[in-house]
Amino acid sequence: DTNMSYDDLKKALPTQEANFEPCYAFSVHKSGSTLMHSMIDAVCRAEKIPAVTLPDIMFNLGETGIDWMSDPELLPIFQKRWLYYGFRNFPKILETPEAEIRTKKFVLLVRDPRDSLVSQYFSYGRKDGSHASPKKNPAAYHKKMQEIEDKEIDKYVTAAAPPLRRKLLKYSENLNFDLGMLRRYEDIYYDKQTFLSDIFDHFGIKANPQTIARVAQRHDVRPAQEDDSKHIRKGTPGDHREKLRPETIEVLNDTFRDIGAFYGYGL
C-alpha cells in the first residue's frame, strides 16, 4: 500500500530546512552512483547539512520500483530547501512546471555507457548478482533476483542498452546544464577529494575541508584485482573492451553515439 509507505517516508525526512536552495545530485546505475551518494551522505551527516535520499528511503521501505517518482502527491517533498541525492534516473515528478527544475543547481555523474552496462551485468544480469537488498521484505527481493535468467553478457548488454539511453536522454532534456556540474566516473574513481569538494562548492554549501578529506579517504577503495562478487568489482575505465565482442561494441556505439557525445564520450 503506497500511502502507507508515504507515511513512513514522511517520518524519515529531515526536520530542518537549509539556507540554500534545493539542489540535486543525480547519476545513473553503475556510474559510481553508490560511491557519490554515500560520500555526500557521510559529509551531510557529519556537517549536519539538511539532505535526503528519497530513493534509498523508498527502497528500504520495500518500494523497489520507481512508480512513486511520478506521483504528484509527493511534489511538496521535492520543494524543500534540502540537498537531494540518491537518484539514478530523472524523477518524472520533476518534469512538472511547479518543480521548476530548470532553476535548480545539480551535479550529474555519468560514465561511458558501455562500461556501465558491463558493470550492470555483474550486479543484475545473474542470479548471484552483487546488488544490495532492501531492509523491508528482503526475501521477496531475493526471490525476484533468483528468477533472473542467467543471460550471456553480450545478450544482456544489448537488451539493457535502450533503457540506459532513455535515462541519459531524460537528464539532457530536462536539466539546465548552465546550472549543472557534469562529472564523469573517472573523476570520482581517481580523485575523490576534489570531486567531493567540487560538489559542495558548486552547491554553495559550506562543509569543513577536513570532513571532506576524511570521507574521501575512507571511500577510496580500488580493487587490486577483479572480484565478480563485490560491488566495486574492478572500477577501471574501458572494461567493455575486455568483456564484449567487437560486434556488440559496434551495436552499443550506434545506440549511444548521439547521447554519448552530449556527455563528452566519443563513440
Side-chain angles (χ1 to χ4, degrees):
D1 171 4
T2 314
N3 287 333
M4 188 190 79
S5 61
Y6 288 169
D7 290 341
D8 292 341
L9 166 65
K10 285 167 187 165
K11 283 181 208 142
L13 297 174
T15 49
Q16 304 278 295
E17 288 192 59
N19 55 3
F20 52 78
E21 286 304 300
C23 50
Y24 288 85
F26 294 117
S27 186
V28 186
H29 280 102
K30 313 315 294 179
S31 301
S33 55
T34 298
L35 192 51
M36 173 174 78
H37 297 315
S38 58
M39 290 199 302
I40 289 173
D41 178 74
V43 172
C44 289
R45 281 173 196 275
E47 298 283 307
K48 306 217 171 356
I49 296 163
V52 64
T53 166
L54 299 173
D56 286 355
I57 293 170
M58 294 303 276
F59 182 79
N60 284 325
L61 290 172
E63 291 280 338
T64 54
I66 58 167
D67 292 348
W68 62 273
M69 283 195 194
S70 52
D71 189 342
E73 193 191 321
L74 290 182
L75 185 62
I77 290 178
F78 281 84
Q79 293 174 309
K80 306 281 187 190
R81 291 197 309 278
W82 293 331
L83 191 174
Y84 294 86
Y85 64 103
F87 296 100
R88 291 169 173 85
N89 53 294
F90 185 75
K92 193 162 174 55
I93 198 166
L94 293 181
E95 291 177 34
T96 57
E98 297 84 353
E100 298 184 320
I101 191 63
R102 297 188 72 81
T103 66
K104 305 290 188 277
K105 286 185 179 177
F106 68 90
V107 58
L108 172 60
L109 176 64
V110 295
R111 183 182 191 178
D112 183 320
R114 301 164 300 182
D115 285 345
S116 287
L117 288 167
V118 166
S119 181
Q120 191 178 314
Y121 169 77
F122 285 100
S123 283
Y124 301 106
R126 312 165 306 156
K127 287 184 176 56
D128 54 354
S130 61
H131 197 266
S133 319
K135 289 189 174 71
K136 192 170 177 178
N137 202 355
Y141 182 73
H142 283 297
K143 184 171 182 292
K144 200 166 87 179
M145 287 300 284
Q146 286 308 306
E147 285 161 8
I148 288 174
E149 176 198 350
D150 277 337
K151 275 201 184 96
E152 190 261 328
I153 188 167
D154 291 82
K155 272 203 185 97
Y156 177 88
V157 298
T158 310
L164 175 57
R165 183 175 184 277
R166 284 196 294 275
K167 282 182 194 174
L168 292 166
L169 266 175
K170 277 284 179 208
Y171 283 134
S172 70
E173 291 164 355
N174 287 288
L175 297 171
N176 172 3
F177 279 77
D178 291 339
L179 295 177
M181 187 175 82
L182 182 65
R183 284 291 179 267
R184 297 188 187 86
Y185 180 77
E186 293 76 356
D187 304 328
I188 194 173
Y189 189 73
Y190 291 114
D191 187 353
K192 292 169 181 59
Q193 189 169 335
T194 304
F195 176 88
L196 201 48
S197 183
D198 285 353
I199 288 177
F200 287 92
D201 284 351
H202 176 67
F203 288 150
I205 299 173
K206 284 190 172 38
N208 185 331
Q210 287 168 311
T211 304
I212 285 177
R214 199 172 59 243
V215 168
Q217 192 182 1
R218 205 169 62 229
H219 284 80
D220 198 15
V221 179
R222 294 188 214 172
Q225 60 199 59
E226 186 169 345
D227 181 349
D228 275 7
S229 66
K230 292 282 190 295
H231 185 78
I232 299 180
R233 178 182 50 85
K234 184 178 183 194
T236 44
D239 198 25
H240 68 276
R241 286 191 289 275
E242 292 171 28
K243 299 282 191 292
L244 301 176
R245 292 200 288 266
E247 56 271 31
T248 306
I249 294 173
E250 273 310 302
V251 170
L252 297 183
N253 289 351
D254 290 344
T255 304
F256 290 106
R257 189 162 285 120
D258 56 342
I259 195 64
F262 179 87
Y263 292 116
Y265 290 103
L267 309 186

